[in-house]
Amino acid sequence: MPRRVDTVPAERFARAALDGLIALARRYAHPVVGLPTGKTPVGLYGELGQLAAQGQADVRTWRPFAIDEYVGMPNHPCSNRSYFSRHWNPISGAATVAQFDPEAADLEAEATAFARRLAGAGGLDIAVLGIGLNGHLAFNEPGSARNSTARIVTLHSESRASAEACWGDDTPTRGLTLGLAELLAAPSVLLLANGAAKAGIVARALRGPISADCPASFLQEHPDVTVVLDEAAAAG
Ligand code: GLP
């Protein structure tokens, strides 16, 4: 079960998430941090940028790795690469995020190479995770095995529907993702969720049966998960 669950009002969500991340990062001299995209961590990255600019947070020792990417079009404004350019790169002192090459000719080989690069860094120390409406972690969709590793995946319809809000007609059908094995091998996990739409899946992930039907439910078996929720996401 998670070590702790913090539930905060919506306006304090980003700061509480950031405080959680900074507390975890202090445990490591050079933390290897897996970073999610999506709406959930936007405020966290913004607050981290403000603190770093004021000299109150120091990310210079952090080694950031993206946890997933859409296949194709890395320069599209909705790609994770573009997302990190907007939300991560402006953070003072932040190292460039290591990322999948979604245009690689051999995507399976690219996934394996990325996993090797992460392993070369010592693996994740901290996995920062959002949660998909269907319980996915990164792009580990329902049906993903607990021991799945970095690979190319087909996005489920719920994930494509969420992506469509940004990508429109260009919505990718496939993604590259770290597997549940690499994510859950991180000794520290920070799970973030906000908004009423996440209440049902958060409850299922944290209290429901542990099964590949809801990949986030495997977090129940992880020894050190910090969960930060806003009140709406905690309602279930
Ligand atoms: C996306 C990403 C995940 C992210 C999740 C939630 O598709 N693959 O890494 O955590 O879905 O996104 P959001 O924060 O926008 O709800």
Side-chain angles (χ1 to χ4, degrees), residues 57 77 88 96 98 107 119 137 155 165 206 224:
W88 180 263
T96 304
L107 291 166
L137 296 178
L155 303 183
L206 300 184
D224 189 2

Side-chain angles (χ1 to χ4, degrees), residues 12-96:
R12 288 201 7 238
F13 175 73
R15 185 55 200 248
L18 176 58
D19 289 347
L21 176 54
I22 288 176
L24 295 176
R26 283 206 190 97
R27 297 178 182 175
Y28 307 93
H30 300 278
V32 178
V33 187
L35 296 176
T37 55
K39 291 187 289 294
T40 309
V42 166
L44 181 161
Y45 297 140
E47 297 249 354
L48 181 55
Q50 286 178 24
L51 284 194
Q54 294 159 4
Q56 292 173 37
D58 185 358
V59 301
R60 286 174 298 178
T61 59
W62 297 17
R63 293 176 292 166
F65 279 75
I67 59 174
D68 57 17
E69 178 58 289
Y70 294 95
V71 166
M73 296 189 280
N75 299 320
H76 191 286
C78 302
S79 72
N80 289 356
R81 191 166 296 237
S82 300
Y83 179 99
F84 286 119
S85 301
R86 282 194 302 278
H87 299 294
W88 180 263
N89 293 358
I91 299 170
S92 172
T96 304

Side-chain angles (χ1 to χ4, degrees), residues 125-218:
D125 294 311
I126 304 167
V128 184
L129 299 172
I131 181 170
L133 289 171
N134 62 5
H136 72 222
L137 296 178
F139 276 139
N140 292 280
E141 299 278 24
S144 297
R146 169 66 182 82
N147 62 357
S148 58
T149 54
R151 66 203 186 284
I152 177 165
V153 294
T154 300
L155 303 183
H156 281 205
S157 52
E158 299 94 326
S159 302
R160 281 207 303 276
S162 297
E164 238 170 57
C166 184
W167 289 85
D169 289 345
D170 294 333
T171 302
T173 56
R174 295 181 302 165
L176 284 154
T177 188
L178 289 179
L180 293 172
E182 288 107 354
L183 295 174
L184 300 177
S188 307
V189 173
L190 177 65
L191 176 70
L192 308 175
N194 62 351
K198 296 284 173 72
I201 197 63
V202 165
R204 183 170 172 210
L206 300 184
R207 300 256 172 81
I210 300 173
S211 128
D213 292 344
C214 176
S217 66
F218 290 120

